[in-house]
Amino acid sequence: PDMVAPLSEEWVQNTYNYIPEELREAQCEPLRLVTQEVDEDYHRHVQKAILDYILLETNEQNRLGITLPPKPSNPAGRERYPWHDSVNAARDFMERELYITHPIMTEILY
């Protein structure tokens, strides 16, 4: 038995309200097919969301015998970038070799 609540008919009708009535009447079959596709997508994504929520707990992962790969970390910009060393070397070169004759150079270097 399916445990997912069906797509709300009210939601579908509210969506239809954005489509002009003459267009809804002229395009009944394509509208029916799109509604069917939306219903299938909704059903699949609700099932996936439920499973994702259940698998947040390691006890459930162990009980179901599912091993999830580790989540990739999000360093939020704290990792070293491949260009970091060359930028620092260029900044050091400019500090040693260039004269600050323009106010913008102060902004760039410091």
Side-chain angles (χ1 to χ4, degrees):
D2 191 10
M3 302 304 279
V4 175
L7 181 63
S8 170
E9 189 62 36
E10 181 183 353
W11 297 346
V12 175
Q13 289 306 316
N14 287 341
T15 305
Y16 285 172
N17 290 337
Y18 289 101
I19 303 170
E21 189 172 342
E22 60 273 2
L23 190 58
R24 282 184 288 188
E25 292 171 359
Q27 300 294 328
C28 287
E29 184 59 18
L31 191 58
R32 185 189 67 74
L33 292 173
V34 167
T35 304
Q36 181 181 349
E37 183 178 343
V38 167
D39 186 51
E40 291 167 1
D41 284 350
Y42 166 81
H43 189 80
R44 186 177 68 249
H45 285 92
V46 168
Q47 285 179 329
K48 182 184 179 313
I50 291 170
L51 183 61
D52 288 347
Y53 181 74
I54 290 170
L55 292 179
L56 287 174
E57 294 189 27
T58 53
N59 291 341
E60 285 299 315
Q61 291 175 20
N62 295 336
R63 185 180 71 82
L64 296 170
I66 296 174
T67 309
L68 296 179
K71 292 183 180 177
S73 67
N74 183 4
R78 292 183 297 269
E79 77 276 1
R80 305 243 333 142
Y81 291 99
W83 45 262
H84 184 76
D85 292 334
S86 61
V87 168
N88 284 340
R91 183 178 293 119
D92 292 342
F93 172 80
M94 288 189 293
E95 286 178 347
R96 281 191 323 272
E97 304 294 331
L98 295 178
Y99 295 102
I100 299 177
T101 57
H102 195 280
I104 197 67
M105 290 302 293
T106 307
E107 295 295 321
I108 292 173
L109 294 175
Y110 302 103

